[in-house]
Amino acid sequence: MYNAESISKVLKGELLQHTGNPEIEHILLDSRKLTFPETSLFIPLVSNRRNAHQYMEEVYEKGVSNFVVSEPLEPGKFPKANIILVKDTMNALHALVAFHRQHFHIPVIGITGSNGKTVVKEWLYQLLEKDYNIVRSPKSYNSQIGVPLSVWQMKPEHTLAIFEAGISQPGEMEHLEKIIRPTIGIFTNIGEAHSEGFLNIRQKINEKLVLFSKSDLLIYSKDYLALNECVNAFHNVVGKKDNHEGGLQLFTWSRKTDADLRIIAVDKNNNQARIDALYKTEPLHITIPFVDEGSIENAIHCWALMIHLGMDQAVIQQRMDQLGNIAMRLELKQGINNCSIINDSYNSDLGSLTIALDFLQQQHQHPTLTVILSDILQSGKSDATLYEEVASLLQQKGINKLIGIGKNIGREKKSFQQITDLKSQFYLTTEEFIQSFNSQDFQHETILLKGARIFEFERIGKLLEQKVHQTILEINLSAVSHNIKQYQALLQPSTKVMAMVKAFSYGSGSFEIANLLQFHGIDYLAVAYADEGVELRRTGITMPIMVMNPEPSSFDAILQWNLEPEIYSLHLLQQFEEEVIISGKTNFPIHIKLDTGMHRLGFEKKDIPELALRLTDNEYLKVKSVFSHLAASEDPSKDLFTKLQGELFFEMSHELQKALGNAVIRHISNSSAILRHPNLQLDMVRLGIGMYGIDSSNEMQLRPVSTLKTTVAQIKHLETGETVGYGGKWVAKGPSVTATVRIGYADGYPRRLSNGVGKMLVRGQLAPVAGIVAMDMLMLDVTHIPDVAEGDEVIVFGEGLPVQQLADWAETIPYEILTGISQRVKRVYFQE
Ligand SMILES: *Cc1c(COP(=O)(O)O)cnc(C)c1O
């Protein structure tokens, strides 16, 4: 049990203010995620962009009374609080959780590596949950912040812990090692991904190995040669350390050479893989319901661990056979009757429920938030306490409707019925719910499906989700967040960000992206037309929105919905001012666009005196910002031109500002200027394409945001000389196989990619377009790719096939491809 006094001792902090010792149970880092104010300890972290100390007042008002801070405070500001002063709040967080970890003497599995960490962790959970009471990292919580939050969940009733650790820079693993202190290590693999902060692959491996400095056992594959060499060197050092009882034992496996677990054969058929191995000369095998190489590797890691734990082969085989898919992400899909569905129906525990509820609470597109929740198994708590806690979570997150499924949750229904604004219904089984399902009961709701695996909530998902055409555009919201952070890192802390969400957020969908941007505290949004802005307002977006093409016919809407027009001519200024006067409003925000060389829209230098005259002491209009647009910020050969645009902008905006008397926000940079012209950052930047993962210079570490996917409708076997598609433009040069896929030019796939110009990824390999792209379908030549089957997924662009590549083939720019994807292609959103 922790309280302010004991935590202060652990942290060797100064107890600046001490008013009592209520029990502390939760660590709160993000004020938006506050759930249990009385028992939370708020630790405001400080980075170069954000200083969470600014949220202290907010959480104090909501009832938080315990704080660890690194800044002196105004005396008397938080009279009821306990305040511990430390040098650095991140170090304090790490030290506190490392202290917590020391109290547990159970096996702790630490997982690191480039890929597969989360799958291995979740599979181990599936494989071992019958034998242990397991605590594990929620989702992919593996960072400097995610790891402490994961380990803090350890409670006396747990008998096994599984945590993952990921790093992006040298020096980070040392902190994570102290917090996780794994007794058993798994090093999944090593790849080139995320290597930004590292000199080379060996440095990266050695840094990751730090996690196992005090471990008893390390499981890894010898087939990664650099990894094997580094592990051997590491073993020579730590194996002999005095403070390391018994040293580090290695458990190796290999498909190529002698190892503890020698894999001798992998046979794939019918979506199953049988893996045969020798363990100490004993032949063993498992079968898993997956055939991809990643899954095979992940399963072998789990197998090695189960062997090490001394588990019975028959049990191992039986459980491997039932490995399930892992929901790596929270998906937001379109549902029936104008509902949105978040399907997280693969597991259910308090940690992941909290994350899913946060995601649900961030959605504003429908008036009702609904949760369909199964029994939560193996929480280690009594049902009464557990569902009491779940009920208060639902209340805190503002959930309107609960459907509880299962014996236990039903037995505790009183906890939920006490909450006034929560409607609740209970069913004994999923079957019972499905029997009484009436689709009309769900209208305009955002629905979270959260169930333990045995409840088979995917069956409920099928009833609620809209059947989609099999071509979808997947949007990775976590990648958008990542990309924004990459650009923010290039900005001064005071520079504001306007996010460009015009053209349906460059094809990625409007409110879903805007919602995320609002959540991230972006300062401004910009759309091209007023109706796009109205749509955002209707779905609950409250932040300021600039409209770049305010047509007179849309002035009404602009005034009614508080949108902020870009004004680019004296004529437009006059027209808009008249509307404002009629509406009776004053100080209505506008943005002044200057033309500095793009020659598209904007005031010219000669207009400034007249403009200044009209705006000075104008009680109807208030200039929020002055801006211009660069014509060639991405092009080094045009840097002189860009510089001149910048200078002209300084001059013109200065002149205007002098006349107005008050300071206005100035902005001129788009995505590529943020990177290439830091001196043009000014007061705000306008981030567009970069947010969606595209940077023509390739210098940013961006993540792709959208993946366009479709499926194979039919396979054709052709003889030499047979032709494919309209006009018979493609002729089989030998016996050939083609796959007909469900995408055509009506979906936005350019027709000029016909006949081998464009290619798509099938089973990880490039397949050229065979023949002419038709309206709704096209054919791919898959002769060289074994085993392509109907229903196979086909990647049009995304991970492994960048949209830039597609744009190059089509001799256009990624902007055109992205915004050209037709609205009939359903967007599916997810968060990792
Ligand atoms: C679209 C747009 C941007 C964003 O440009 P990117 O190159 O996508 O970053 C910025 N400013 C204006 C005026 C725009 O129209």
Side-chain angles (χ1 to χ4, degrees), residues 244-369:
H244 196 263
E245 277 167 57
L248 174 71
Q249 185 194 338
L250 302 179
F251 188 119
T252 59
W253 65 264
S254 172
R255 293 172 74 161
K256 298 181 184 140
T257 154
D258 215 21
D260 295 314
L261 184 65
R262 170 80 168 98
I263 308 298
I264 42 184
V266 176
D267 293 308
K268 306 175 189 180
N269 67 51
N270 285 337
N271 298 321
Q272 286 199 330
R274 179 185 154 121
I275 308 169
D276 280 276
L278 283 176
Y279 175 65
K280 300 192 171 152
T281 73
E282 184 191 353
L284 305 174
H285 77 268
I286 54 172
T287 304
I288 58 170
F290 296 89
V291 291
D292 63 287
E293 290 299 320
S295 296
I296 289 167
E297 180 180 285
N298 293 333
I300 298 173
H301 287 307
C302 297
W303 192 13
L305 180 82
M306 294 172 94
I307 292 172
H308 167 78
L309 293 176
M311 294 178 68
D312 184 64
Q313 272 306 312
V315 172
I316 296 178
Q317 277 178 17
Q318 186 254 335
R319 293 189 190 166
M320 284 284 180
D321 201 37
Q322 284 166 19
L323 277 179
N325 264 312
I326 306 298
M328 297 284 287
R329 52 198 218 180
L330 286 168
E331 283 188 353
L332 184 64
K333 294 188 183 155
Q334 290 189 352
I336 54 168
N337 308 333
N338 201 10
C339 290
S340 299
I341 313 296
I342 301 169
N343 193 339
D344 194 19
S345 61
Y346 295 92
N347 61 30
S348 185
D349 54 84
L350 265 184
S352 69
L353 176 63
T354 312
I355 295 172
L357 286 173
D358 279 331
F359 187 58
L360 176 62
Q361 194 193 18
Q362 281 168 39
Q363 311 302 325
H364 299 283
Q365 54 269 40
H366 308 295
T368 305
L369 299 181

Side-chain angles (χ1 to χ4, degrees), residues 431-537:
E431 187 55 37
E432 191 190 316
F433 171 75
I434 289 174
Q435 288 306 326
S436 66
F437 177 80
N438 175 359
S439 64
Q440 293 311 308
D441 294 344
F442 298 89
Q443 306 269 357
H444 299 282
E445 299 168 32
T446 311
I447 305 169
L448 168 67
L449 278 173
K450 188 82 188 134
R453 270 210 301 162
I454 54 163
F455 284 88
E456 298 180 335
F457 271 17
E458 54 277 10
R459 295 171 62 202
I460 303 177
K462 285 212 183 89
L463 296 175
L464 291 171
E465 283 163 20
Q466 212 177 57
K467 310 286 170 282
V468 294
H469 173 72
Q470 299 200 36
T471 303
I472 55 168
L473 185 70
E474 285 188 344
I475 316 286
N476 182 342
L477 296 173
S478 306
V480 178
S481 306
H482 168 90
N483 296 339
I484 292 172
K485 288 196 187 115
Q486 297 298 305
Y487 281 95
Q488 283 180 329
L490 299 175
L491 301 176
Q492 300 298 321
S494 60
T495 309
K496 295 185 186 319
V497 178
M498 173 182 269
M500 309 308 281
V501 295
K502 60 192 180 190
F504 206 53
S505 291
Y506 292 43
S508 311
S510 37
F511 64 69
E512 294 84 355
I513 299 283
N515 223 349
L516 180 78
L517 298 169
Q518 176 160 292
F519 179 75
H520 279 298
I522 293 290
D523 305 276
Y524 258 96
L525 296 180
V527 295
Y529 293 98
D531 13 339
E532 295 178 277
V534 172
E535 195 53 40
L536 293 177
R537 285 277 181 265

Side-chain angles (χ1 to χ4, degrees), residues 593-607 627-633 638 640-650 652 668 686:
K593 174 73 167 291
L594 306 179
D595 182 0
T596 56
M598 176 90 163
H599 300 319
R600 192 166 68 177
L601 292 177
F603 291 96
E604 289 167 27
K605 191 157 165 39
K606 64 170 173 35
D607 304 323
F627 73 108
S628 186
H629 195 35
L630 297 169
S633 63
K638 293 275 167 57
L640 182 61
F641 182 78
T642 303
K643 188 162 168 275
L644 292 174
Q645 274 200 283
E647 281 165 11
L648 185 55
F649 180 68
F650 283 124
M652 290 169 68
I668 190 169
R686 298 189 305 275

Side-chain angles (χ1 to χ4, degrees), residues 175 352 454 537 614 692 703 772 828:
H175 302 295
S352 69
I454 54 163
R537 285 277 181 265
R614 298 242 210 129
Y692 308 101
R703 296 182 55 195
I772 304 289
V828 175

Side-chain angles (χ1 to χ4, degrees), residues 578-824:
E578 281 165 11
E579 283 289 318
V580 176
I581 294 173
I582 293 169
S583 76
K585 299 193 188 228
T586 52
N587 278 320
F588 200 86
I590 59 169
H591 300 263
I592 300 294
K593 174 73 167 291
L594 306 179
D595 182 0
T596 56
M598 176 90 163
H599 300 319
R600 192 166 68 177
L601 292 177
F603 291 96
E604 289 167 27
K605 191 157 165 39
K606 64 170 173 35
D607 304 323
I608 300 287
E610 171 77 18
L611 177 64
L613 204 63
R614 298 242 210 129
L615 291 174
T616 312
D617 297 327
N618 186 320
E619 61 183 294
Y620 302 107
L621 301 175
K622 178 171 173 64
V623 178
K624 286 281 276 287
S625 84
V626 181
F627 73 108
S628 186
H629 195 35
L630 297 169
S633 63
E634 73 290 347
D635 184 351
S637 75
K638 293 275 167 57
D639 281 352
L640 182 61
F641 182 78
T642 303
K643 188 162 168 275
L644 292 174
Q645 274 200 283
E647 281 165 11
L648 185 55
F649 180 68
F650 283 124
E651 253 175 66
M652 290 169 68
S653 58
H654 184 69
E655 192 180 334
L656 189 62
Q657 193 154 351
K658 219 168 51 185
L660 292 175
N662 57 326
V664 294
I665 299 172
R666 293 163 310 149
H667 47 115
I668 190 169
S669 290
N670 63 344
S671 305
S672 49
I674 298 174
L675 176 69
R676 301 199 58 253
H677 302 283
N679 58 323
L680 296 179
Q681 226 177 75
L682 307 179
D683 308 313
M684 180 153 85
V685 295
R686 298 189 305 275
L687 181 57
I689 194 98
M691 190 161 63
Y692 308 101
I694 292 156
D695 158 43
S696 56
S697 76
N698 273 324
E699 281 173 39
M700 301 286 299
Q701 308 281 351
L702 302 182
R703 296 182 55 195
V705 166
S706 37
T707 301
L708 182 58
K709 285 184 174 170
T710 181
T711 49
V712 173
Q714 198 173 30
I715 299 291
K716 300 271 180 195
H717 294 268
L718 308 179
E719 315 259 321
T720 312
E722 285 190 294
T723 65
V724 169
Y726 284 120
K729 297 287 186 197
W730 189 88
V731 186
K733 296 207 183 74
S736 300
V737 187
T738 60
T740 305
V741 300
R742 300 174 163 105
I743 186 169
Y745 56 77
D747 299 293
Y749 194 77
R751 191 165 174 278
R752 64 179 311 160
L753 295 179
S754 294
N755 254 329
V757 180
K759 300 182 179 69
M760 297 182 185
L761 276 178
V762 184
R763 299 203 163 211
Q765 295 191 50
L766 284 175
V769 175
I772 304 289
V773 174
M775 188 185 291
D776 311 307
M777 261 175 275
L778 56 80
M779 279 63 86
L780 298 173
D781 178 4
V782 294
T783 311
H784 58 296
I785 306 174
D787 305 328
V788 180
E790 275 176 29
D792 273 4
E793 179 180 275
V794 176
I795 306 280
V796 182
F797 64 76
E799 198 92 46
L801 179 52
V803 63
Q804 284 97 322
Q805 175 68 72
L806 198 72
D808 288 347
W809 286 331
E811 294 176 28
T812 179
I813 50 175
Y815 299 72
E816 187 179 354
I817 302 283
L818 288 176
T819 57
I821 299 163
S822 118
Q823 289 302 314
R824 85 171 181 195

